[in-house]
Amino acid sequence: MPQTLFDKLWAPHVVADLGDDWALLHIDRVLLHDMSGARALTEVGERGYDLARPDLVFATPDHAVSSAPGRTSATFAGGARPIARLRERVKETGIRLFDLGQPGHGIVHVMAPELAIVLPGTTLVCGDSHTCTNGGVGALAFGIGASELTHVLATQTLMQRKPRSMRLTFTGTLPPGVTAKDMILAAIGQLGTAGGTGFAVEYTGEAVRALPLEARLTLCNLSIEMGAKMGFVAPDETTFAYLKGRRFAPQGAAWDSAVAAWRGLCSDAGAVFDREVTIDASRIAPQVTWGTSPEQVLPVTASVPQPANAADQAALDYIGLQPGQPLAGTPVDWVFIGSCTNSRLSDLRDAAAVLRGRKVAPHVTAWVVPGSETVKREAEAEGLHTRFLEAGFEWREPGCALCVCVNGEAVPAGKRSVSTSNRNFVGRQGTGARTHLASPAMAAAAALAGAIVDVRSF
Amino acid sequence: MDAFTTITGPAAPLLRANVDTDMIIPAQRLIGAGRDGLGRFAFERFRFNADGSENPAFPLNQAPYRASPILLGGENFGCGSSREGAVWALRDLGLRCVIAPSFGDIFANNCFQNGMLPVRLAAADVARIAEQTAASPSNAYTSVDLERQVVVTPNGEEIPFTVDARKRGALLEGLDEIALTMKRRAEILAWQARDTAARPWAWDPVSR
């Protein structure tokens, strides 16, 4: 019987079939961060268990760290203790830690693919909903809560009910100025934030195959904003070329046998999905959100819609826009280029390409926060930081920064931000902050124009 | 984990769609936080005004709903971040059950891990419970019976619901999943030994 890629990722990890679509699933890799890592490790001990496989666990502090130039783990005082505890716990347990300033440090979902901690055909979990990002290399990666994290650390397994399968096919060729971020925002606009709930989503089609690996990570990153815990792209030559030679990639003969195995990781012809959705990528325009949920999104050429229900009205009240007002031209106070969605080298190149010697509008505060120490160093090696600095952006240290605001950094109340992150929720970027999600190029253009603007004509 | 059989009390209405876990508890409250004492931060951006006073318009600040064990929610309740602190905060407020048309997956999982029952009912049914409750808030009681899988509305109407059989069993008995899995330790080790031979490429890198 023809299998889906999802079947091929799931079935080999079933340690025990628990019936009724439930399985005890082996977890090949675990990522820990500073928000919950130390606590999870402590809880395993308090419950009387040992870590099952510390060699499969990787830790890095990303959430509660300041992104200020020259920062330490104490620059944001609130993060000092959780990070100190994380350092203690990993030392006791032998877990690998990628600490501030070291190569390998970064946002969990940036550093894991970058170090090839996540590989095609592996399972990976983390106490963070954007773990689905890692599906971009062809892995089964998903976010879990604290209790499930304790379960994984103690047993290296999780009890999971197999989700239904969805194939989301992007046909055609992506137009110039349109990115993976726009593809997935457009999909969320069409399907809604609950459209993928209960599904594992395979992204495929001509436009996905053409995406570089980093863009596939962006695509998969927003799976959870569509409700899907996991999303993935079948690994191919693009994937293999990206992973080869990275720190935790297999080497020598192991690499060859890995690639041979990975070549089989695709949906068979005739495989049946529980849901099929097709989107014509050639018709997607740069997207920008207008409300407080990622599904409240439109092409930048559109106008703010009439509210369809109370939630829309509440969103408009919070975001401070009027129905009928064109999205383009909306004045902007802050711009954030960063987060596990869009902080990789290719994102920074996309944003820098928009600058062309122009300056950030005087009333705009604009930040670039590279996703990892390696991204930062590579960007500096090719002079991107100088271009951002000369344009008037701040060039900062890697971390989650203005995406999650648990680090002393926030967009002030009432201020409007264009952000390359993943959530425009009420208060997400700071109490009262108004967020518009967009691609790195759109964010850079907004910083220069001082307003939301169509990057294709800017 | 606390077992769950039947919960009865006034059902507090919070029917807007896409109530995300950032709304339930801001991430700032969870830096290094434990499981206890988070109720004071639950819905804090909505429960309290900027000066720290209570917002009387927020349902959970209204007399009959202060001690509600049941929350009525809209579509996609608990979407967003995987933070289990969202469930801990609701539990600490005294809530044991959320009834909504649909839930964020990770939030629903986290509920079951903490003796909290997410019940899916059609939006019209959730709205009807809210209406019946609003008609006489001080003595309108809703019951959620996990054993029989029915919600009994304030007017006595019984609405059936279904919960995944495995999750239902675990909740009724208050089972500890880690202890259950630990009984399969030999199976897990055998799987790992087989897989190390079958997929050496998945294991070699981490031994370096």
Side-chain angles (χ1 to χ4, degrees), chain A residues 345-379:
Chain A
L345 189 59
S346 54
D347 297 316
L348 305 191
R349 285 176 180 158
D350 271 6
V354 174
L355 305 178
R356 300 200 306 274
R358 291 178 283 187
K359 303 284 184 202
V360 170
H363 64 280
V364 173
T365 304
W367 287 16
V368 181
V369 181
S372 73
E373 184 65 27
T374 300
V375 169
K376 180 174 174 243
R377 291 183 190 188
E378 287 177 355

Side-chain angles (χ1 to χ4, degrees), chain B residues 45-114:
Chain B
R45 290 196 178 110
F46 306 87
R47 253 167 85 208
F48 304 109
N49 298 314
D51 62 3
S53 62
E54 280 193 356
N55 168 15
F58 193 71
L60 293 172
N61 286 336
Q62 294 162 6
Y65 303 131
R66 281 184 185 277
S68 285
I70 300 165
L71 186 66
L72 302 173
E75 292 278 0
N76 206 22
F77 188 93
C79 60
S81 155
S82 59
R83 65 192 65 165
E84 198 160 313
V87 178
W88 300 338
L90 296 181
R91 280 279 337 235
D92 197 49
L93 268 190
L95 290 162
R96 292 296 308 273
C97 177
V98 184
I99 304 176
S102 61
F103 291 92
D105 259 354
I106 305 176
F107 174 82
N109 269 331
N110 289 339
C111 283
F112 284 110
Q113 296 285 345
N114 291 279

Side-chain angles (χ1 to χ4, degrees), chain A residues 438-449:
Chain A
S439 72
M442 283 282 288
L448 303 178

Side-chain angles (χ1 to χ4, degrees), chain A residues 12-13 16 18 22 26 28-29 35 39 43 47 49 53 55 78 82 96 120-121 127-129 143-148 151 154 157 159 161 193 197-198 229 247-249 251 254 258 262 295 405-406 423 425-428, chain B residues 16 18 20 22-23 27-28 30-35 45-46 76 80-84 88 103 105-106 109-110 113-114 164-167 176-182 184 187-188 191-192 199 201-206 208:
Chain A
H13 290 94
L18 306 175
W22 281 86
H26 191 267
D28 300 335
R29 303 284 190 271
M35 277 292 279
R39 234 208 109 68
E43 193 162 310
R47 302 272 308 261
Y49 300 114
R53 289 295 295 249
D55 56 332
R96 291 181 183 84
D128 188 285
S129 61
I144 55 176
S147 297
E148 287 190 318
H151 188 287
T157 64
M159 291 184 193
R161 184 169 194 176
T193 46
T197 303
K229 235 171 35 164
R247 177 156 170 200
F248 292 104
Q251 294 173 358
W262 296 343
E295 71 185 9
C405 301
V406 291
R423 287 186 175 137
F425 294 167
V426 170
R428 174 77 178 191
Chain B
R16 70 186 273 184
N18 295 324
D20 59 68
D22 274 85
M23 291 184 191
Q28 297 92 295
L30 296 171
I31 304 168
R35 291 169 180 256
R45 290 196 178 110
F46 306 87
N76 206 22
S81 155
S82 59
R83 65 192 65 165
E84 198 160 313
W88 300 338
F103 291 92
D105 259 354
I106 305 176
N109 269 331
N110 289 339
Q113 296 285 345
N114 291 279
D164 175 81
R166 188 175 183 87
K167 291 286 188 197
D176 176 351
E177 282 192 358
I178 300 182
L180 281 180
T181 299
M182 276 296 172
R184 296 181 178 271
E187 262 176 279
I188 297 168
W191 185 94
Q192 289 177 334
R199 298 188 310 156
W201 52 265
W203 298 85
D204 283 352
V206 296
R208 290 202 295 269

Side-chain angles (χ1 to χ4, degrees), chain A residues 11 52-53 59 118 120 207 216 226 228 246 250 292 330 364 396 407 441 446 451 454:
Chain A
R53 289 295 295 249
V118 61
R216 297 179 187 181
M226 199 163 66
R246 290 180 186 266
T292 56
T330 305
V364 173
R396 299 177 68 95
N407 35 46
D454 187 343

